[in-house]
Amino acid sequence: MKIDLTDTTSSKINKALVQGRRAIGTPAVGMVLTLVIVTDEENAYDSLKAANDASREHPSRTLVVIRRAARSPRDRTTSRLDAEVRVGVEAGTGETVILRLYGEVINHAQSVVLPLLLPDAPVVVWWPVNAPLDPSNDPLGSLAQRRVTDTYAAEQPIHELAARAEAYHPGDTDLSWTRITPWRSMLAAALDQVTCKVTSVEVEGEEFNPSCELLAMWLADRLGVPVKRSISTGPGLTGVRMDTDCGPIVLGRSDGSLATLSVQGQPDRAVALKRRETAELIAEELRRLDPDDTYASALKFGVERLGEPVKQPAVPAAEPSADEQSADEPKKAAPAKKAPAKKAAAK
């Protein structure tokens, strides 16, 4: 069911949601969170489709915020809010409200979204494109427990990673990080099978793919070894080589679907490592709403440090015991005893 509202308000949108639920015979609200998608008209369809697919696993109220550019100075000073309310089959397993903002209200999107949030439910904000450099300080981002960006859609992904590291706040995450979850799982499982020490790592992937940098930073941060970033023709990540004192461990994927894991002394194994759709990535992010400390540690490692030797934290020396201190200290000569003063001669 679709309900179109022109030049409306948040109060009228809430009434339309109640009306729509009653019309389809489902007045009870069984949604677990509010997903706010901040996008443009060009990317709204794909983003909403991914959110609807993810709602099968996480029933949610989806609010799509689209800021429409004004064509004339008069339009820039006139505020208007148009909405499209979708319930039932049109909205997956939840509810969908598409908000189109015009004029001055563009700069106050949080005042439109706030009354539409589900009460006592987590809020997730997702920027498919044009994400702010500091999501936690964004007016909409400040409403959320989880803020999802995608540096892959940025014009300069590597610079974007550096900006994300400087402005990181617990609850921030990146779909470029979510894309490498199967890679991290596979590499961790491979290292669990051997007792060798890793000496160096090389990560290979297409240029301008921040997932490659994030995987390299994660390996460098966790293993404490130099990690080299190499360029390939793709698609996406194509391979990781870990040199150990027992021989190399190689995970290679040339077709974006099937990978081969090679461990010294073991037969090669084919593993499924396909590139996932955006709906799968969003569904994975919605499974956990707590801060991702592993992502934060890898992000803050820094792209500029890739390929350099990683300095291990210095171990503070144990303080010597009292006996050791007395043994190490040079013995001081005992002070000479003063001779007894001679008695004065008797007169």
Side-chain angles (χ1 to χ4, degrees), residues 143-331:
L143 302 176
Q145 288 77 36
R146 192 79 163 171
R147 294 164 294 276
V148 184
T149 59
D150 191 357
T151 51
Y152 186 78
E155 186 175 350
Q156 296 180 321
I158 308 307
H159 290 76
E160 198 91 357
L161 284 178
R164 293 278 182 272
E166 292 181 4
Y168 175 81
H169 189 273
D172 294 351
T173 191
D174 191 338
L175 291 187
S176 294
W177 171 257
T178 315
R179 290 183 180 96
I180 62 174
T181 299
W183 285 82
R184 293 189 292 119
S185 301
M186 195 63 62
L187 293 172
L191 289 176
D192 286 341
Q193 300 175 18
V194 297
T195 57
C196 307
K197 180 180 179 181
V198 180
T199 56
S200 64
V201 179
E202 181 179 1
V203 176
E204 185 183 61
E206 64 183 359
E207 195 174 5
F208 306 117
N209 189 329
S211 295
C212 302
E213 273 72 21
L214 283 169
L215 182 61
M217 290 188 290
W218 173 71
L219 289 167
D221 180 53
R222 290 295 170 178
L223 299 177
V225 298
V227 178
K228 178 183 177 183
R229 166 72 161 96
S230 301
I231 305 298
S232 71
T233 57
L237 268 163
T238 54
V240 176
R241 176 187 175 93
M242 297 185 290
D243 291 321
T244 72
D245 52 11
C246 302
I249 299 175
V250 180
L251 180 61
R253 184 191 67 178
S254 58
D255 60 356
S257 177
L258 190 65
T260 302
L261 177 63
S262 302
V263 180
Q264 187 72 20
Q266 300 180 15
D268 293 350
R269 283 168 287 177
V271 293
L273 207 61
K274 71 180 184 68
R275 305 187 74 190
R276 298 183 293 170
E277 300 293 334
T278 305
E280 298 177 67
L281 303 177
I282 287 295
E284 178 182 330
E285 284 301 331
L286 296 181
R287 291 185 197 121
R288 55 172 301 174
L289 300 177
D290 56 320
D292 192 341
D293 296 331
T294 305
Y295 165 70
S297 181
L299 182 66
K300 293 179 180 179
F301 180 86
V303 181
E304 68 281 355
R305 294 176 59 190
L306 292 178
E308 298 179 357
V310 180
K311 295 181 179 180
Q312 300 294 339
V315 180
E319 296 184 359
S321 62
D323 295 338
E324 292 174 340
Q325 286 181 351
S326 60
D328 292 339
E329 290 179 355
K331 294 182 178 180

Side-chain angles (χ1 to χ4, degrees), residues 126-139:
W126 172 32
W127 292 269
V129 293
N130 302 324
L133 294 179
D134 189 354
S136 62
N137 284 330
D138 182 83

Side-chain angles (χ1 to χ4, degrees), residues 89-113:
V89 179
E90 301 288 344
T93 59
E95 299 172 342
T96 298
V97 180
I98 302 176
L99 304 168
R100 290 182 171 87
L101 282 61
Y102 302 82
E104 288 292 333
V105 75
I106 288 177
N107 300 320
H108 305 281
Q110 72 278 7
S111 63
V112 176
V113 170

Side-chain angles (χ1 to χ4, degrees), residues 109-120:
Q110 72 278 7
S111 63
V112 176
V113 170
L114 188 59
L116 301 176
L117 302 179
L118 290 173
D120 301 324

